[in-house]
Amino acid sequence: MFFPDKRAAYREARRVLKPGGRFVFSVWDRLEENELSQIVSDTVAELFPVDPPRFLARTPHAYYNIGIIREELTEAGFSSTMAETLRQISCAASARDAVIGLCQGSPLRSEIEARNPDRLSAATDAAASAVADRFGNGVVQAKMQAHVITATN
């Protein structure tokens, strides 16, 4: 999901595999299937309505279409692909713990700071408040979903 040229990355992965080898990787499902990321993305976007930071929607949660992924793997020369969707529950001790990594430990931070470096704490606080509104003030348990893709050479 992070390679700018996914087809080239797939061709290179295939090139280094022995015949019959498997290339296994995972991608996040769409933003709507990942509650914490959705809440953080929406909340931070509201703070910057003219030019919202959309890293989460644009990058890690944008490459989820299994049909497209399979097509690109086939174009790269893989003979077969399988996809499994995994649904899990993420768990954090608090709403703040749940959002700190997304707001301050991912490229979303750079996007927030590019718009206004003084708003990082406010964005983190707003996201934590939105998560607490949804899940309460204690332990946060939220739905998360990803796809595991297996392509055979």
Side-chain angles (χ1 to χ4, degrees), residues 65-134:
N65 187 307
I66 293 171
I68 291 171
I69 295 168
R70 282 187 167 138
E71 179 181 302
E72 292 174 348
L73 288 162
T74 299
E75 288 173 12
F78 284 95
S79 62
S80 68
T81 60
M82 293 177 16
E84 179 183 5
T85 299
L86 300 178
R87 293 167 184 89
Q88 296 290 325
I89 300 296
S90 65
C91 188
S94 69
R96 184 159 185 80
D97 286 352
V99 304
I100 198 102
L102 292 169
C103 289
Q104 297 187 15
S106 79
L108 179 59
R109 177 186 186 136
S110 299
E111 290 188 6
I112 294 167
E113 291 177 330
R115 284 151 182 83
N116 184 336
D118 297 329
R119 306 260 342 250
L120 178 62
S121 291
T124 304
D125 292 344
S129 178
V131 169
D133 287 348
R134 166 68 177 86

Short mmCIF file of all heavy atoms in Angstrom, two decimals, residues 65-134:
data_model
loop_
_atom_site.label_atom_id
_atom_site.label_comp_id
_atom_site.label_asym_id
_atom_site.label_seq_id
_atom_site.Cartn_x
_atom_site.Cartn_y
_atom_site.Cartn_z
N ASN A 65 -8.90 -2.50 -2.69
CA ASN A 65 -9.73 -3.20 -3.66
C ASN A 65 -9.04 -4.50 -4.10
O ASN A 65 -8.07 -4.47 -4.85
CB ASN A 65 -10.02 -2.30 -4.85
CG ASN A 65 -11.01 -2.92 -5.80
OD1 ASN A 65 -10.84 -4.04 -6.26
ND2 ASN A 65 -12.05 -2.16 -6.13
N ILE A 66 -9.56 -5.62 -3.64
CA ILE A 66 -8.94 -6.92 -3.92
C ILE A 66 -8.92 -7.20 -5.42
O ILE A 66 -7.96 -7.77 -5.93
CB ILE A 66 -9.66 -8.04 -3.14
CG1 ILE A 66 -9.42 -7.85 -1.65
CG2 ILE A 66 -9.19 -9.42 -3.58
CD1 ILE A 66 -10.25 -8.75 -0.75
N GLY A 67 -9.95 -6.80 -6.14
CA GLY A 67 -9.98 -7.01 -7.58
C GLY A 67 -8.83 -6.30 -8.28
O GLY A 67 -8.16 -6.89 -9.15
N ILE A 68 -8.56 -5.07 -7.91
CA ILE A 68 -7.45 -4.31 -8.49
C ILE A 68 -6.12 -4.94 -8.10
O ILE A 68 -5.22 -5.08 -8.94
CB ILE A 68 -7.52 -2.83 -8.07
CG1 ILE A 68 -8.72 -2.16 -8.74
CG2 ILE A 68 -6.22 -2.10 -8.40
CD1 ILE A 68 -9.01 -0.77 -8.24
N ILE A 69 -5.99 -5.33 -6.86
CA ILE A 69 -4.74 -5.94 -6.40
C ILE A 69 -4.47 -7.22 -7.18
O ILE A 69 -3.36 -7.44 -7.67
CB ILE A 69 -4.78 -6.20 -4.88
CG1 ILE A 69 -4.85 -4.88 -4.11
CG2 ILE A 69 -3.58 -7.04 -4.43
CD1 ILE A 69 -5.19 -5.02 -2.64
N ARG A 70 -5.48 -8.06 -7.34
CA ARG A 70 -5.32 -9.30 -8.10
C ARG A 70 -4.93 -9.01 -9.55
O ARG A 70 -4.07 -9.67 -10.12
CB ARG A 70 -6.61 -10.11 -8.08
CG ARG A 70 -6.81 -10.86 -6.80
CD ARG A 70 -8.03 -11.77 -6.92
NE ARG A 70 -8.04 -12.70 -5.82
CZ ARG A 70 -9.11 -13.03 -5.13
NH1 ARG A 70 -10.29 -12.52 -5.46
NH2 ARG A 70 -9.04 -13.89 -4.15
N GLU A 71 -5.58 -8.04 -10.14
CA GLU A 71 -5.27 -7.66 -11.53
C GLU A 71 -3.81 -7.22 -11.66
O GLU A 71 -3.11 -7.63 -12.59
CB GLU A 71 -6.22 -6.54 -11.97
CG GLU A 71 -6.01 -6.03 -13.37
CD GLU A 71 -6.98 -4.91 -13.68
OE1 GLU A 71 -8.21 -5.15 -13.58
OE2 GLU A 71 -6.52 -3.81 -14.01
N GLU A 72 -3.36 -6.40 -10.74
CA GLU A 72 -1.97 -5.92 -10.80
C GLU A 72 -0.98 -7.05 -10.56
O GLU A 72 0.08 -7.09 -11.21
CB GLU A 72 -1.78 -4.79 -9.79
CG GLU A 72 -2.53 -3.54 -10.18
CD GLU A 72 -2.49 -2.42 -9.16
OE1 GLU A 72 -2.06 -2.65 -8.01
OE2 GLU A 72 -2.91 -1.31 -9.51
N LEU A 73 -1.30 -7.99 -9.69
CA LEU A 73 -0.42 -9.14 -9.47
C LEU A 73 -0.37 -10.04 -10.71
O LEU A 73 0.70 -10.53 -11.09
CB LEU A 73 -0.88 -9.93 -8.25
CG LEU A 73 -0.61 -9.26 -6.90
CD1 LEU A 73 -1.47 -9.88 -5.80
CD2 LEU A 73 0.87 -9.33 -6.55
N THR A 74 -1.50 -10.23 -11.35
CA THR A 74 -1.53 -11.02 -12.58
C THR A 74 -0.71 -10.34 -13.68
O THR A 74 0.07 -10.99 -14.37
CB THR A 74 -2.99 -11.23 -13.04
OG1 THR A 74 -3.69 -11.94 -12.01
CG2 THR A 74 -3.06 -12.01 -14.34
N GLU A 75 -0.87 -9.02 -13.82
CA GLU A 75 -0.08 -8.27 -14.80
C GLU A 75 1.42 -8.39 -14.52
O GLU A 75 2.23 -8.36 -15.45
CB GLU A 75 -0.48 -6.80 -14.80
CG GLU A 75 -1.84 -6.53 -15.41
CD GLU A 75 -2.27 -5.09 -15.25
OE1 GLU A 75 -1.44 -4.23 -14.87
OE2 GLU A 75 -3.46 -4.81 -15.50
N ALA A 76 1.78 -8.54 -13.25
CA ALA A 76 3.19 -8.68 -12.87
C ALA A 76 3.70 -10.10 -13.10
O ALA A 76 4.88 -10.37 -12.92
CB ALA A 76 3.39 -8.28 -11.41
N GLY A 77 2.82 -11.02 -13.48
CA GLY A 77 3.24 -12.37 -13.82
C GLY A 77 2.94 -13.45 -12.80
O GLY A 77 3.33 -14.60 -12.99
N PHE A 78 2.26 -13.11 -11.70
CA PHE A 78 1.91 -14.14 -10.72
C PHE A 78 0.82 -15.03 -11.31
O PHE A 78 -0.09 -14.56 -12.00
CB PHE A 78 1.46 -13.51 -9.41
CG PHE A 78 2.61 -12.97 -8.60
CD1 PHE A 78 2.97 -11.64 -8.68
CD2 PHE A 78 3.33 -13.81 -7.77
CE1 PHE A 78 4.03 -11.15 -7.95
CE2 PHE A 78 4.39 -13.33 -7.03
CZ PHE A 78 4.75 -11.99 -7.12
N SER A 79 0.93 -16.34 -11.03
CA SER A 79 0.01 -17.30 -11.64
C SER A 79 -1.31 -17.43 -10.89
O SER A 79 -2.33 -17.74 -11.49
CB SER A 79 0.68 -18.67 -11.75
OG SER A 79 1.01 -19.17 -10.47
N SER A 80 -1.30 -17.19 -9.59
CA SER A 80 -2.55 -17.26 -8.84
C SER A 80 -2.46 -16.35 -7.62
O SER A 80 -1.38 -16.06 -7.12
CB SER A 80 -2.86 -18.69 -8.40
OG SER A 80 -1.93 -19.13 -7.44
N THR A 81 -3.62 -15.92 -7.16
CA THR A 81 -3.67 -15.08 -5.96
C THR A 81 -4.83 -15.54 -5.08
O THR A 81 -5.84 -16.04 -5.57
CB THR A 81 -3.87 -13.59 -6.31
OG1 THR A 81 -5.10 -13.44 -7.02
CG2 THR A 81 -2.73 -13.04 -7.12
N MET A 82 -4.64 -15.36 -3.80
CA MET A 82 -5.70 -15.60 -2.82
C MET A 82 -5.76 -14.39 -1.91
O MET A 82 -4.74 -13.75 -1.65
CB MET A 82 -5.40 -16.85 -1.98
CG MET A 82 -5.43 -18.14 -2.75
SD MET A 82 -5.00 -19.63 -1.79
CE MET A 82 -5.13 -19.15 -0.11
N ALA A 83 -6.95 -14.09 -1.44
CA ALA A 83 -7.12 -12.97 -0.52
C ALA A 83 -8.00 -13.42 0.64
O ALA A 83 -9.00 -14.10 0.45
CB ALA A 83 -7.75 -11.78 -1.22
N GLU A 84 -7.58 -13.05 1.83
CA GLU A 84 -8.36 -13.34 3.03
C GLU A 84 -8.55 -12.03 3.78
O GLU A 84 -7.60 -11.30 4.04
CB GLU A 84 -7.62 -14.34 3.91
CG GLU A 84 -8.35 -14.67 5.19
CD GLU A 84 -7.58 -15.62 6.09
OE1 GLU A 84 -6.42 -15.96 5.78
OE2 GLU A 84 -8.13 -16.00 7.13
N THR A 85 -9.79 -11.73 4.13
CA THR A 85 -10.08 -10.54 4.90
C THR A 85 -10.09 -10.91 6.37
O THR A 85 -10.78 -11.85 6.78
CB THR A 85 -11.44 -9.94 4.49
OG1 THR A 85 -11.37 -9.59 3.10
CG2 THR A 85 -11.76 -8.69 5.30
N LEU A 86 -9.30 -10.19 7.15
CA LEU A 86 -9.20 -10.43 8.59
C LEU A 86 -9.87 -9.29 9.35
O LEU A 86 -9.53 -8.13 9.14
CB LEU A 86 -7.74 -10.54 9.01
CG LEU A 86 -6.93 -11.65 8.37
CD1 LEU A 86 -5.50 -11.58 8.85
CD2 LEU A 86 -7.53 -13.00 8.70
N ARG A 87 -10.79 -9.65 10.21
CA ARG A 87 -11.46 -8.67 11.07
C ARG A 87 -10.96 -8.91 12.48
O ARG A 87 -11.00 -10.03 12.98
CB ARG A 87 -12.96 -8.86 10.99
CG ARG A 87 -13.53 -8.53 9.65
CD ARG A 87 -14.97 -9.03 9.51
NE ARG A 87 -15.48 -8.79 8.18
CZ ARG A 87 -15.34 -9.65 7.16
NH1 ARG A 87 -14.72 -10.80 7.35
NH2 ARG A 87 -15.82 -9.36 5.97
N GLN A 88 -10.51 -7.84 13.11
CA GLN A 88 -9.99 -7.94 14.47
C GLN A 88 -10.52 -6.77 15.29
O GLN A 88 -11.15 -5.86 14.75
CB GLN A 88 -8.45 -7.91 14.46
CG GLN A 88 -7.82 -9.08 13.75
CD GLN A 88 -7.99 -10.38 14.51
OE1 GLN A 88 -7.99 -10.40 15.74
NE2 GLN A 88 -8.16 -11.47 13.78
N ILE A 89 -10.21 -6.80 16.55
CA ILE A 89 -10.53 -5.70 17.45
C ILE A 89 -9.21 -5.14 17.96
O ILE A 89 -8.37 -5.87 18.48
CB ILE A 89 -11.39 -6.18 18.65
CG1 ILE A 89 -12.72 -6.78 18.17
CG2 ILE A 89 -11.62 -5.06 19.65
CD1 ILE A 89 -13.64 -5.81 17.47
N SER A 90 -9.03 -3.84 17.76
CA SER A 90 -7.86 -3.19 18.34
C SER A 90 -8.21 -2.80 19.77
O SER A 90 -9.38 -2.57 20.10
CB SER A 90 -7.45 -1.96 17.53
OG SER A 90 -8.46 -0.98 17.59
N CYS A 91 -7.21 -2.75 20.60
CA CYS A 91 -7.45 -2.46 22.01
C CYS A 91 -6.41 -1.44 22.49
O CYS A 91 -5.22 -1.60 22.21
CB CYS A 91 -7.35 -3.75 22.81
SG CYS A 91 -7.84 -3.55 24.52
N ALA A 92 -6.87 -0.41 23.16
CA ALA A 92 -5.97 0.59 23.73
C ALA A 92 -6.46 0.94 25.13
O ALA A 92 -7.65 0.84 25.43
CB ALA A 92 -5.94 1.85 22.86
N ALA A 93 -5.54 1.34 25.97
CA ALA A 93 -5.88 1.64 27.37
C ALA A 93 -6.78 2.85 27.50
O ALA A 93 -7.54 2.97 28.46
CB ALA A 93 -4.60 1.84 28.18
N SER A 94 -6.70 3.78 26.54
CA SER A 94 -7.50 5.00 26.61
C SER A 94 -7.68 5.56 25.20
O SER A 94 -6.99 5.15 24.27
CB SER A 94 -6.81 6.06 27.48
OG SER A 94 -5.64 6.52 26.82
N ALA A 95 -8.59 6.52 25.10
CA ALA A 95 -8.80 7.18 23.81
C ALA A 95 -7.52 7.87 23.34
O ALA A 95 -7.16 7.80 22.17
CB ALA A 95 -9.95 8.18 23.92
N ARG A 96 -6.82 8.52 24.25
CA ARG A 96 -5.58 9.20 23.87
C ARG A 96 -4.54 8.20 23.37
O ARG A 96 -3.88 8.43 22.37
CB ARG A 96 -5.03 10.02 25.03
CG ARG A 96 -3.79 10.82 24.63
CD ARG A 96 -3.55 11.98 25.57
NE ARG A 96 -2.45 12.79 25.11
CZ ARG A 96 -2.51 13.72 24.15
NH1 ARG A 96 -3.65 13.94 23.54
NH2 ARG A 96 -1.46 14.41 23.82
N ASP A 97 -4.39 7.09 24.08
CA ASP A 97 -3.46 6.06 23.63
C ASP A 97 -3.85 5.55 22.24
O ASP A 97 -2.99 5.23 21.42
CB ASP A 97 -3.44 4.88 24.60
CG ASP A 97 -2.69 5.17 25.88
OD1 ASP A 97 -2.05 6.24 25.99
OD2 ASP A 97 -2.77 4.33 26.80
N ALA A 98 -5.14 5.47 21.97
CA ALA A 98 -5.61 4.96 20.69
C ALA A 98 -5.26 5.88 19.53
O ALA A 98 -5.04 5.41 18.42
CB ALA A 98 -7.13 4.76 20.74
N VAL A 99 -5.18 7.17 19.77
CA VAL A 99 -4.96 8.10 18.65
C VAL A 99 -3.55 8.67 18.57
O VAL A 99 -3.17 9.21 17.53
CB VAL A 99 -5.96 9.29 18.67
CG1 VAL A 99 -7.39 8.78 18.68
CG2 VAL A 99 -5.72 10.22 19.84
N ILE A 100 -2.77 8.55 19.59
CA ILE A 100 -1.45 9.20 19.60
C ILE A 100 -0.57 8.71 18.44
O ILE A 100 0.11 9.50 17.79
CB ILE A 100 -0.74 9.06 20.96
CG1 ILE A 100 0.38 10.08 21.08
CG2 ILE A 100 -0.19 7.68 21.20
CD1 ILE A 100 0.01 11.24 21.92
N GLY A 101 -0.60 7.42 18.17
CA GLY A 101 0.22 6.90 17.08
C GLY A 101 -0.25 7.39 15.72
O GLY A 101 0.57 7.67 14.84
N LEU A 102 -1.56 7.50 15.54
CA LEU A 102 -2.08 7.97 14.26
C LEU A 102 -1.79 9.45 14.05
O LEU A 102 -1.40 9.85 12.96
CB LEU A 102 -3.59 7.70 14.18
CG LEU A 102 -3.98 6.23 14.10
CD1 LEU A 102 -5.47 6.07 14.29
CD2 LEU A 102 -3.52 5.62 12.79
N CYS A 103 -1.98 10.26 15.08
CA CYS A 103 -1.79 11.71 14.93
C CYS A 103 -0.33 12.13 15.01
O CYS A 103 0.09 13.07 14.33
CB CYS A 103 -2.57 12.46 16.01
SG CYS A 103 -4.35 12.43 15.77
N GLN A 104 0.44 11.46 15.85
CA GLN A 104 1.81 11.92 16.08
C GLN A 104 2.88 10.96 15.61
O GLN A 104 4.04 11.34 15.52
CB GLN A 104 1.99 12.22 17.58
CG GLN A 104 1.09 13.35 18.03
CD GLN A 104 1.35 13.78 19.45
OE1 GLN A 104 2.37 13.46 20.04
NE2 GLN A 104 0.43 14.54 20.01
N GLY A 105 2.51 9.72 15.30
CA GLY A 105 3.52 8.74 14.92
C GLY A 105 3.37 8.23 13.50
O GLY A 105 3.90 7.17 13.16
N SER A 106 2.65 8.94 12.67
CA SER A 106 2.48 8.55 11.27
C SER A 106 2.68 9.80 10.41
O SER A 106 2.76 10.92 10.92
CB SER A 106 1.08 7.97 11.04
OG SER A 106 0.11 9.00 10.94
N PRO A 107 2.72 9.64 9.10
CA PRO A 107 2.84 10.83 8.23
C PRO A 107 1.69 11.82 8.35
O PRO A 107 1.80 12.94 7.88
CB PRO A 107 2.90 10.22 6.82
CG PRO A 107 3.55 8.89 7.04
CD PRO A 107 2.95 8.40 8.35
N LEU A 108 0.60 11.42 9.01
CA LEU A 108 -0.47 12.39 9.28
C LEU A 108 0.09 13.57 10.07
O LEU A 108 -0.31 14.71 9.85
CB LEU A 108 -1.62 11.72 10.04
CG LEU A 108 -2.80 12.62 10.41
CD1 LEU A 108 -3.43 13.26 9.18
CD2 LEU A 108 -3.82 11.82 11.20
N ARG A 109 1.03 13.30 10.95
CA ARG A 109 1.66 14.37 11.74
C ARG A 109 2.26 15.44 10.83
O ARG A 109 2.06 16.63 11.04
CB ARG A 109 2.74 13.79 12.65
CG ARG A 109 3.47 14.86 13.43
CD ARG A 109 4.63 14.30 14.23
NE ARG A 109 5.18 15.36 15.05
CZ ARG A 109 5.53 15.23 16.31
NH1 ARG A 109 5.39 14.05 16.91
NH2 ARG A 109 6.01 16.24 16.99
N SER A 110 3.01 15.00 9.83
CA SER A 110 3.64 15.95 8.90
C SER A 110 2.59 16.78 8.16
O SER A 110 2.80 17.97 7.91
CB SER A 110 4.51 15.22 7.88
OG SER A 110 5.54 14.53 8.54
N GLU A 111 1.48 16.14 7.81
CA GLU A 111 0.43 16.88 7.11
C GLU A 111 -0.23 17.91 8.03
O GLU A 111 -0.56 19.01 7.58
CB GLU A 111 -0.60 15.91 6.54
CG GLU A 111 -0.05 15.09 5.40
CD GLU A 111 -1.11 14.27 4.69
OE1 GLU A 111 -2.31 14.40 5.00
OE2 GLU A 111 -0.71 13.49 3.80
N ILE A 112 -0.42 17.56 9.28
CA ILE A 112 -0.98 18.52 10.25
C ILE A 112 -0.01 19.67 10.43
O ILE A 112 -0.39 20.85 10.33
CB ILE A 112 -1.28 17.84 11.60
CG1 ILE A 112 -2.40 16.81 11.46
CG2 ILE A 112 -1.62 18.88 12.67
CD1 ILE A 112 -2.56 15.87 12.65
N GLU A 113 1.25 19.35 10.67
CA GLU A 113 2.25 20.39 10.91
C GLU A 113 2.48 21.26 9.68
O GLU A 113 2.79 22.46 9.82
CB GLU A 113 3.55 19.77 11.39
CG GLU A 113 3.42 19.19 12.79
CD GLU A 113 4.67 18.50 13.29
OE1 GLU A 113 5.44 17.96 12.47
OE2 GLU A 113 4.88 18.52 14.52
N ALA A 114 2.33 20.72 8.49
CA ALA A 114 2.49 21.53 7.27
C ALA A 114 1.39 22.59 7.18
O ALA A 114 1.61 23.66 6.63
CB ALA A 114 2.46 20.63 6.04
N ARG A 115 0.23 22.28 7.72
CA ARG A 115 -0.86 23.24 7.69
C ARG A 115 -0.77 24.26 8.82
O ARG A 115 -1.06 25.43 8.63
CB ARG A 115 -2.19 22.50 7.74
CG ARG A 115 -2.51 21.87 6.39
CD ARG A 115 -3.35 20.62 6.52
NE ARG A 115 -3.60 20.02 5.22
CZ ARG A 115 -2.74 19.20 4.59
NH1 ARG A 115 -1.57 18.91 5.14
NH2 ARG A 115 -3.04 18.70 3.41
N ASN A 116 -0.36 23.76 10.00
CA ASN A 116 -0.16 24.66 11.14
C ASN A 116 0.56 23.87 12.23
O ASN A 116 -0.06 23.08 12.94
CB ASN A 116 -1.51 25.17 11.67
CG ASN A 116 -1.33 26.18 12.79
OD1 ASN A 116 -0.31 26.21 13.47
ND2 ASN A 116 -2.34 27.02 12.99
N PRO A 117 1.87 24.10 12.38
CA PRO A 117 2.65 23.31 13.36
C PRO A 117 2.17 23.46 14.80
O PRO A 117 2.42 22.59 15.62
CB PRO A 117 4.07 23.84 13.19
CG PRO A 117 3.98 25.08 12.40
CD PRO A 117 2.67 25.08 11.68
N ASP A 118 1.46 24.53 15.09
CA ASP A 118 0.97 24.75 16.45
C ASP A 118 -0.32 23.98 16.75
O ASP A 118 -0.81 24.02 17.88
CB ASP A 118 0.74 26.24 16.69
CG ASP A 118 2.02 27.04 16.59
OD1 ASP A 118 3.09 26.49 16.93
OD2 ASP A 118 1.96 28.21 16.16
N ARG A 119 -0.87 23.28 15.76
CA ARG A 119 -2.16 22.60 15.95
C ARG A 119 -2.04 21.10 16.17
O ARG A 119 -3.04 20.41 16.28
CB ARG A 119 -3.08 22.85 14.75
CG ARG A 119 -3.30 24.29 14.39
CD ARG A 119 -4.56 25.01 14.82
NE ARG A 119 -5.72 24.33 15.24
CZ ARG A 119 -6.87 24.27 14.55
NH1 ARG A 119 -6.98 24.82 13.37
NH2 ARG A 119 -7.91 23.66 15.07
N LEU A 120 -0.82 20.57 16.25
CA LEU A 120 -0.66 19.13 16.43
C LEU A 120 -1.31 18.65 17.73
O LEU A 120 -2.06 17.67 17.73
CB LEU A 120 0.81 18.72 16.39
CG LEU A 120 1.08 17.24 16.61
CD1 LEU A 120 0.43 16.40 15.51
CD2 LEU A 120 2.58 16.98 16.67
N SER A 121 -1.04 19.34 18.81
CA SER A 121 -1.65 18.95 20.10
C SER A 121 -3.16 19.09 20.06
O SER A 121 -3.89 18.22 20.55
CB SER A 121 -1.08 19.78 21.24
OG SER A 121 0.26 19.44 21.46
N ALA A 122 -3.65 20.15 19.46
CA ALA A 122 -5.09 20.35 19.35
C ALA A 122 -5.74 19.27 18.50
O ALA A 122 -6.83 18.78 18.83
CB ALA A 122 -5.39 21.73 18.77
N ALA A 123 -5.08 18.87 17.43
CA ALA A 123 -5.61 17.80 16.58
C ALA A 123 -5.65 16.48 17.34
O ALA A 123 -6.63 15.74 17.26
CB ALA A 123 -4.78 17.68 15.30
N THR A 124 -4.59 16.20 18.07
CA THR A 124 -4.53 14.97 18.87
C THR A 124 -5.62 14.98 19.94
O THR A 124 -6.32 13.99 20.13
CB THR A 124 -3.14 14.81 19.51
OG1 THR A 124 -2.14 14.84 18.48
CG2 THR A 124 -3.02 13.51 20.29
N ASP A 125 -5.77 16.11 20.61
CA ASP A 125 -6.80 16.23 21.65
C ASP A 125 -8.20 16.08 21.07
O ASP A 125 -9.06 15.40 21.66
CB ASP A 125 -6.69 17.58 22.37
CG ASP A 125 -5.43 17.72 23.21
OD1 ASP A 125 -4.78 16.69 23.49
OD2 ASP A 125 -5.10 18.87 23.58
N ALA A 126 -8.45 16.70 19.91
CA ALA A 126 -9.77 16.61 19.28
C ALA A 126 -10.07 15.16 18.87
O ALA A 126 -11.19 14.67 19.06
CB ALA A 126 -9.85 17.54 18.07
N ALA A 127 -9.08 14.49 18.31
CA ALA A 127 -9.27 13.09 17.91
C ALA A 127 -9.51 12.21 19.14
O ALA A 127 -10.39 11.34 19.12
CB ALA A 127 -8.06 12.60 17.11
N ALA A 128 -8.76 12.44 20.21
CA ALA A 128 -8.95 11.66 21.43
C ALA A 128 -10.34 11.90 22.01
O ALA A 128 -11.00 10.96 22.47
CB ALA A 128 -7.87 12.01 22.45
N SER A 129 -10.81 13.12 21.95
CA SER A 129 -12.15 13.44 22.43
C SER A 129 -13.22 12.73 21.58
O SER A 129 -14.19 12.19 22.12
CB SER A 129 -12.36 14.95 22.41
OG SER A 129 -13.66 15.28 22.84
N ALA A 130 -13.03 12.73 20.28
CA ALA A 130 -13.99 12.06 19.39
C ALA A 130 -14.01 10.56 19.64
O ALA A 130 -15.07 9.93 19.63
CB ALA A 130 -13.65 12.37 17.93
N VAL A 131 -12.85 9.97 19.87
CA VAL A 131 -12.78 8.54 20.17
C VAL A 131 -13.45 8.25 21.51
O VAL A 131 -14.21 7.29 21.65
CB VAL A 131 -11.32 8.02 20.13
CG1 VAL A 131 -11.21 6.62 20.70
CG2 VAL A 131 -10.79 8.07 18.69
N ALA A 132 -13.21 9.11 22.51
CA ALA A 132 -13.85 8.93 23.82
C ALA A 132 -15.37 9.08 23.70
O ALA A 132 -16.12 8.35 24.36
CB ALA A 132 -13.28 9.93 24.82
N ASP A 133 -15.82 10.01 22.85
CA ASP A 133 -17.26 10.16 22.64
C ASP A 133 -17.87 8.87 22.09
O ASP A 133 -18.99 8.51 22.45
CB ASP A 133 -17.55 11.31 21.67
CG ASP A 133 -17.31 12.68 22.28
OD1 ASP A 133 -17.14 12.77 23.51
OD2 ASP A 133 -17.28 13.66 21.51
N ARG A 134 -17.14 8.19 21.24
CA ARG A 134 -17.65 6.96 20.62
C ARG A 134 -17.51 5.74 21.53
O ARG A 134 -18.39 4.89 21.60
CB ARG A 134 -16.91 6.73 19.30
CG ARG A 134 -17.06 5.37 18.65
CD ARG A 134 -18.48 5.11 18.13
NE ARG A 134 -18.56 3.83 17.47
CZ ARG A 134 -18.79 2.66 18.07
NH1 ARG A 134 -18.96 2.60 19.38
NH2 ARG A 134 -18.85 1.55 17.37
#
